[in-house]
Amino acid sequence: MKVCCGLTYLWMMLISFSLVAQNNFWATPTFAVGEATEGVISVEQVYHYQLYEPKKGYEKVRLVQRKYSSMASAEEAFISRMSAIASLDYQWWLDTWEGDSKHLALEYFSSKGLNQSYWLDTWQKQFVGRKITFKQKIVLPQHIIIIYNVAGANGKPGPIDLPVVFSQREQQWLVSLDLRREPLLRYSPWINGEDRKVIVYE
């Protein structure tokens, strides 16, 4: 019992000393200091990835019917998603989402009034009958990003290239919102000088 009480007393003394030291010693500089000044800290984040791009800079996306679609690879999943949009198949489009990401997306869409009718109308105006081109594929350790472009009504390339992020779930590649806050997506079409490997193919 004496040993137990002694240990308890020692422990309490250590805690007491720690609090006193924190309040009276560590918080107060023990050497002369000047006035506080504001500064800027730069944080650099390096992304390791492989970038694939067609030799001619783009590749036309060949749409498919749902019965011939696949989600076995990110490229096939991307074709399935574009095919769902171009065929105005809302349920098929929903089925290309990863579960948690779909839940987040639908909550956000609902808060903005972006219902099924909105999407069908948008797709009809901006996708149906338009040429869709694959521009780049970015392979990250756990995600694949497909960059694409939708031509305007005049057949010329659209003003911006758009990203879709895919992650693998149970041998299927599904649309993911995992990278929605990553600055990497805001840097599209991928800043030169990052640690990367570019692969150009026929």
Side-chain angles (χ1 to χ4, degrees):
M1 182 65 67
K2 290 183 179 180
V3 174
C4 181
C5 290
L7 289 175
T8 301
Y9 176 76
L10 177 61
W11 178 248
M12 292 176 66
M13 287 293 294
L14 287 172
I15 293 176
S16 177
F17 175 77
S18 177
L19 292 174
V20 170
Q22 182 177 357
N23 292 331
N24 298 327
F25 182 74
W26 292 342
T28 303
T30 58
F31 49 86
V33 296
E35 293 294 325
T37 59
E38 293 186 1
V40 177
I41 298 176
S42 297
V43 178
E44 181 179 356
Q45 192 164 3
V46 177
Y47 295 92
H48 297 265
Y49 61 89
Q50 291 180 324
L51 187 148
Y52 295 78
E53 49 190 21
K55 187 174 183 179
K56 61 180 179 180
Y58 68 92
E59 189 174 291
K60 184 177 180 180
V61 175
R62 301 187 182 280
L63 304 177
V64 298
Q65 298 178 33
R66 183 164 191 176
K67 62 182 178 180
Y68 299 119
S69 67
S70 171
M71 307 293 282
S73 70
E75 292 87 346
E76 291 174 307
F78 170 72
I79 291 173
S80 295
R81 185 173 176 84
M82 293 299 104
S83 298
I85 291 172
S87 62
L88 303 179
D89 191 327
Y90 184 75
Q91 185 57 53
W92 184 8
W93 176 71
L94 289 179
D95 292 342
T96 65
W97 287 87
E98 179 271 325
D100 291 340
S101 295
K102 177 169 63 177
H103 178 72
L104 287 173
L106 290 178
E107 275 194 342
Y108 175 78
F109 297 154
S110 177
S111 70
K112 300 296 182 180
L114 309 180
N115 56 19
Q116 179 176 345
S117 297
Y118 165 84
W119 289 114
L120 294 178
D121 181 62
T122 299
W123 298 342
Q124 178 69 54
K125 293 175 179 177
Q126 299 182 11
F127 283 84
V128 175
R130 306 286 183 92
K131 181 173 71 173
I132 303 171
T133 52
F134 164 86
K135 300 294 292 291
Q136 295 173 319
K137 178 177 74 171
I138 294 85
V139 180
L140 296 162
Q142 297 182 4
H143 299 86
I144 291 179
I145 305 171
I146 301 292
I147 307 298
Y148 71 100
N149 185 277
V150 181
N154 58 5
K156 295 182 179 181
I160 59 174
D161 295 335
L162 303 168
V164 183
V165 178
F166 293 90
S167 62
Q168 192 173 29
R169 298 286 190 276
E170 299 179 355
Q171 299 183 340
Q172 284 192 319
W173 285 88
L174 299 166
V175 176
S176 171
L177 294 177
D178 288 350
L179 301 182
R180 64 191 181 280
R181 294 189 179 92
E182 287 288 343
L184 180 66
L185 290 180
R186 298 196 292 274
Y187 293 159
S188 175
W190 324 111
I191 294 176
N192 290 327
E194 297 290 356
D195 185 5
R196 68 177 188 174
K197 180 179 181 182
V198 179
I199 301 170
V200 178
Y201 60 92
E202 295 292 340

